[in-house]
Amino acid sequence: MLTLYIVRHGQTEWNIARRLQGRQNSPLTSEGVLNAEKLGNRLQTIAFETVYVSPSGRAIQTLEAMDVSLDSPVHILDELDEISFGVWEGKAEDEIERMDVFETFWSNPSQFDHRLNHGEAMLTFTNRVSSAMQHIIQANMSGNVLVVTHGMVIQAILREIREANISELWFDDEIEGTSLTVIEYSNNQYKEVAIGDISHQLSETF
Protein backbone atom coordinates (compact mmCIF):
# COMPACT_ATOMS: atom_id res chain seq x y z
CA MET A 1 0.00 0.00 0.00
CA LEU A 2 1.14 3.53 -0.81
CA THR A 3 0.40 6.31 1.68
CA LEU A 4 0.64 9.92 0.52
CA TYR A 5 1.19 12.62 3.13
CA ILE A 6 0.21 15.80 1.30
CA VAL A 7 1.08 19.14 2.91
CA ARG A 8 0.12 22.66 1.96
CA HIS A 9 2.91 25.20 2.42
CA GLY A 10 2.93 27.34 5.56
CA GLN A 11 1.37 30.75 5.98
CA THR A 12 3.17 33.44 3.95
CA GLU A 13 3.50 37.20 4.04
CA TRP A 14 1.14 37.52 1.09
CA ASN A 15 -1.40 35.23 2.76
CA ILE A 16 -1.52 37.74 5.61
CA ALA A 17 -1.72 40.67 3.20
CA ARG A 18 -4.42 38.82 1.18
CA ARG A 19 -2.51 39.01 -2.08
CA LEU A 20 -2.77 36.29 -4.71
CA GLN A 21 0.48 34.39 -5.10
CA GLY A 22 0.09 31.74 -7.77
CA ARG A 23 3.50 31.29 -9.43
CA GLN A 24 4.92 34.28 -7.57
CA ASN A 25 6.30 33.82 -4.10
CA SER A 26 6.53 35.39 -0.67
CA PRO A 27 8.35 34.03 2.39
CA LEU A 28 6.75 32.20 5.26
CA THR A 29 5.69 34.19 8.30
CA SER A 30 7.04 33.24 11.73
CA GLU A 31 3.73 31.46 12.34
CA GLY A 32 4.10 29.59 9.07
CA VAL A 33 7.57 28.40 10.05
CA LEU A 34 6.40 27.41 13.55
CA ASN A 35 3.49 25.37 12.24
CA ALA A 36 5.75 23.66 9.70
CA GLU A 37 8.09 22.73 12.55
CA LYS A 38 5.13 21.36 14.53
CA LEU A 39 4.04 19.29 11.56
CA GLY A 40 7.57 17.95 11.15
CA ASN A 41 7.56 16.91 14.80
CA ARG A 42 4.21 15.22 14.30
CA LEU A 43 5.59 13.20 11.39
CA GLN A 44 9.00 12.43 12.90
CA THR A 45 8.21 8.73 13.48
CA ILE A 46 7.26 8.15 9.84
CA ALA A 47 9.94 6.95 7.46
CA PHE A 48 9.46 8.62 4.09
CA GLU A 49 10.91 6.72 1.16
CA THR A 50 10.49 9.66 -1.18
CA VAL A 51 9.66 13.37 -1.00
CA TYR A 52 8.17 15.50 -3.77
CA VAL A 53 7.97 19.27 -3.50
CA SER A 54 6.73 22.14 -5.63
CA PRO A 55 9.50 24.33 -7.08
CA SER A 56 7.94 27.35 -5.35
CA GLY A 57 10.10 28.94 -2.66
CA ARG A 58 7.35 28.82 -0.03
CA ALA A 59 6.90 25.06 -0.50
CA ILE A 60 10.66 24.42 -0.28
CA GLN A 61 10.91 26.65 2.81
CA THR A 62 8.07 24.66 4.41
CA LEU A 63 9.83 21.36 3.75
CA GLU A 64 13.07 22.73 5.20
CA ALA A 65 11.26 23.93 8.33
CA MET A 66 9.61 20.53 8.76
CA ASP A 67 13.06 18.96 8.99
CA VAL A 68 11.83 15.40 8.47
CA SER A 69 14.28 12.52 8.20
CA LEU A 70 14.64 11.35 4.61
CA ASP A 71 15.81 8.04 3.18
CA SER A 72 16.08 9.36 -0.39
CA PRO A 73 16.71 12.66 -2.21
CA VAL A 74 14.02 15.29 -2.53
CA HIS A 75 12.42 15.51 -5.96
CA ILE A 76 11.33 18.97 -7.14
CA LEU A 77 8.29 18.33 -9.35
CA ASP A 78 7.19 21.22 -11.57
CA GLU A 79 3.71 19.74 -11.94
CA LEU A 80 3.12 20.42 -8.21
CA ASP A 81 3.46 24.19 -8.66
CA GLU A 82 0.46 26.40 -7.89
CA ILE A 83 -2.00 27.44 -10.60
CA SER A 84 -0.92 30.55 -12.50
CA PHE A 85 -3.18 33.54 -11.88
CA GLY A 86 -1.50 35.56 -14.62
CA VAL A 87 -1.90 39.32 -14.17
CA TRP A 88 -3.79 38.82 -10.90
CA GLU A 89 -0.66 37.66 -9.11
CA GLY A 90 0.55 40.09 -6.49
CA LYS A 91 -2.73 42.00 -6.50
CA ALA A 92 -4.89 42.44 -3.40
CA GLU A 93 -7.77 39.97 -3.23
CA ASP A 94 -10.16 42.81 -2.35
CA GLU A 95 -9.39 44.39 -5.71
CA ILE A 96 -9.83 41.19 -7.70
CA GLU A 97 -12.96 40.06 -5.87
CA ARG A 98 -14.87 42.97 -7.39
CA MET A 99 -14.42 41.45 -10.86
CA ASP A 100 -17.21 39.25 -12.22
CA VAL A 101 -14.64 36.97 -13.83
CA PHE A 102 -13.13 36.22 -10.41
CA GLU A 103 -16.53 35.07 -9.18
CA THR A 104 -16.73 32.73 -12.17
CA PHE A 105 -13.30 31.34 -11.29
CA TRP A 106 -14.67 30.14 -7.94
CA SER A 107 -18.33 29.43 -8.63
CA ASN A 108 -18.09 27.83 -12.08
CA PRO A 109 -14.46 26.98 -12.87
CA SER A 110 -15.36 24.95 -15.96
CA GLN A 111 -16.63 28.18 -17.56
CA PHE A 112 -13.69 30.34 -16.50
CA ASP A 113 -11.81 31.90 -19.42
CA HIS A 114 -8.14 32.03 -18.44
CA ARG A 115 -7.39 34.39 -21.32
CA LEU A 116 -9.05 37.22 -19.39
CA ASN A 117 -6.28 37.23 -16.78
CA HIS A 118 -3.55 35.61 -18.94
CA GLY A 119 -3.39 32.77 -16.43
CA GLU A 120 -3.45 29.00 -16.65
CA ALA A 121 -6.39 27.18 -18.20
CA MET A 122 -8.32 24.96 -15.78
CA LEU A 123 -7.94 21.93 -18.01
CA THR A 124 -4.19 22.49 -18.28
CA PHE A 125 -3.96 22.85 -14.51
CA THR A 126 -5.98 19.75 -13.66
CA ASN A 127 -4.20 17.68 -16.31
CA ARG A 128 -0.76 18.52 -14.96
CA VAL A 129 -1.84 17.70 -11.40
CA SER A 130 -3.23 14.38 -12.66
CA SER A 131 0.11 13.80 -14.38
CA ALA A 132 1.94 14.50 -11.12
CA MET A 133 -0.23 11.99 -9.27
CA GLN A 134 0.33 9.31 -11.89
CA HIS A 135 4.08 9.94 -11.82
CA ILE A 136 4.22 9.64 -8.03
CA ILE A 137 2.11 6.48 -7.95
CA GLN A 138 4.01 4.75 -10.75
CA ALA A 139 7.35 5.55 -9.12
CA ASN A 140 6.24 4.46 -5.64
CA MET A 141 3.97 1.44 -5.48
CA SER A 142 4.23 1.17 -1.70
CA GLY A 143 5.56 2.92 1.38
CA ASN A 144 5.22 6.48 2.66
CA VAL A 145 5.62 9.47 0.36
CA LEU A 146 5.65 13.12 1.43
CA VAL A 147 4.29 15.76 -0.94
CA VAL A 148 4.62 19.50 -0.20
CA THR A 149 2.56 21.68 -2.48
CA HIS A 150 -0.24 24.29 -2.64
CA GLY A 151 -3.89 24.64 -1.68
CA MET A 152 -5.35 24.58 -5.16
CA VAL A 153 -3.12 21.70 -6.18
CA ILE A 154 -4.47 19.71 -3.23
CA GLN A 155 -8.03 20.58 -4.33
CA ALA A 156 -7.14 19.29 -7.80
CA ILE A 157 -5.74 16.08 -6.25
CA LEU A 158 -9.03 15.62 -4.41
CA ARG A 159 -10.90 16.14 -7.68
CA GLU A 160 -8.75 13.41 -9.22
CA ILE A 161 -9.35 10.83 -6.51
CA ARG A 162 -13.06 11.66 -6.20
CA GLU A 163 -13.45 11.47 -10.00
CA ALA A 164 -15.22 14.84 -10.06
CA ASN A 165 -15.43 17.07 -13.11
CA ILE A 166 -13.85 20.51 -13.39
CA SER A 167 -17.09 22.29 -12.49
CA GLU A 168 -16.74 20.67 -9.03
CA LEU A 169 -13.08 21.56 -8.66
CA TRP A 170 -13.27 23.70 -5.53
CA PHE A 171 -14.57 21.53 -2.68
CA ASP A 172 -15.68 22.76 0.74
CA ASP A 173 -12.70 21.07 2.41
CA GLU A 174 -10.55 23.59 4.30
CA ILE A 175 -6.93 23.30 3.16
CA GLU A 176 -5.09 25.70 5.45
CA GLY A 177 -1.38 26.42 5.69
CA THR A 178 0.65 23.36 6.82
CA SER A 179 -2.52 21.26 6.83
CA LEU A 180 -2.03 17.53 6.34
CA THR A 181 -4.03 15.44 3.88
CA VAL A 182 -3.42 11.69 3.96
CA ILE A 183 -4.42 9.46 1.05
CA GLU A 184 -3.92 5.70 0.82
CA TYR A 185 -3.62 3.98 -2.56
CA SER A 186 -3.91 0.24 -3.11
CA ASN A 187 -5.28 -1.97 -5.90
CA ASN A 188 -6.16 1.09 -8.01
CA GLN A 189 -8.33 2.48 -5.22
CA TYR A 190 -7.92 5.65 -3.19
CA LYS A 191 -8.93 6.05 0.45
CA GLU A 192 -9.16 9.43 2.15
CA VAL A 193 -7.67 9.08 5.64
CA ALA A 194 -7.44 12.76 6.59
CA ILE A 195 -8.27 15.97 4.75
CA GLY A 196 -6.80 19.32 5.78
CA ASP A 197 -5.87 18.17 9.30
CA ILE A 198 -4.34 20.97 11.40
CA SER A 199 -4.42 19.29 14.81
CA HIS A 200 -0.65 19.75 15.17
CA GLN A 201 -1.15 23.53 15.11
CA LEU A 202 -3.45 23.34 18.12
CA SER A 203 -1.38 20.92 20.19
CA GLU A 204 1.34 21.79 22.67
CA THR A 205 2.87 18.31 22.36
CA PHE A 206 4.13 18.64 18.78
Side-chain angles (χ1 to χ4, degrees):
M1 181 177 68
L2 173 64
T3 304
L4 302 175
Y5 293 80
I6 306 172
V7 175
R8 183 189 175 193
H9 65 80
Q11 181 191 77
T12 69
E13 297 290 349
W14 278 12
N15 288 151
I16 293 295
R18 298 190 75 243
R19 292 186 177 277
L20 285 183
Q21 294 181 116
R23 297 293 179 83
Q24 294 194 41
N25 189 60
S26 67
L28 299 191
T29 63
S30 57
E31 180 177 337
V33 172
L34 175 62
N35 286 332
E37 291 171 347
K38 285 184 175 183
L39 178 57
N41 290 335
R42 175 182 178 179
L43 300 177
Q44 65 182 343
T45 60
I46 299 172
F48 293 108
E49 284 76 17
T50 312
V51 176
Y52 295 91
V53 62
S54 158
S56 176
R58 58 190 181 274
I60 294 172
Q61 187 182 1
T62 299
L63 176 61
E64 291 172 345
M66 288 173 63
D67 193 26
V68 293
S69 59
L70 308 177
D71 294 330
S72 69
V74 173
H75 302 279
I76 296 177
L77 195 59
D78 290 342
E79 289 85 351
L80 292 174
D81 207 350
E82 184 59 292
I83 190 171
S84 170
F85 286 110
V87 297
W88 291 348
E89 293 183 355
K91 293 185 180 295
E93 292 182 23
D94 289 345
E95 176 185 350
I96 302 168
E97 285 170 355
R98 293 193 292 268
M99 304 177 185
D100 291 340
V101 65
F102 191 66
E103 171 61 26
T104 303
F105 178 88
W106 290 110
S107 64
N108 195 359
S110 63
Q111 298 300 311
F112 175 72
D113 186 352
H114 68 284
R115 294 170 297 184
L116 297 174
N117 68 324
H118 305 286
E120 187 172 11
M122 287 296 179
L123 185 59
T124 302
F125 170 61
T126 55
N127 281 347
R128 72 169 167 86
V129 173
S130 296
S131 176
M133 285 291 288
Q134 292 306 309
H135 172 82
I136 292 170
I137 289 170
Q138 290 171 10
N140 306 275
M141 297 306 295
S142 62
N144 301 311
V145 171
L146 178 63
V147 178
V148 183
T149 184
H150 305 267
M152 292 186 181
V153 174
I154 296 172
Q155 289 278 7
I157 290 172
L158 293 177
R159 186 205 69 85
E160 173 84 3
I161 69 175
R162 294 170 180 175
E163 300 181 340
N165 59 44
I166 294 179
S167 65
E168 302 170 305
L169 180 56
W170 312 130
F171 297 103
D172 291 334
D173 305 275
E174 290 288 337
I175 308 295
E176 298 183 14
T178 69
S179 63
L180 177 65
T181 294
V182 182
I183 305 294
E184 293 178 348
Y185 180 81
S186 180
N187 298 319
N188 296 316
Q189 297 291 322
Y190 293 102
K191 178 183 178 183
E192 299 180 20
V193 178
I195 305 296
D197 183 4
I198 57 169
S199 58
H200 51 280
Q201 298 181 14
L202 310 175
S203 174
E204 297 296 330
T205 59
F206 291 124

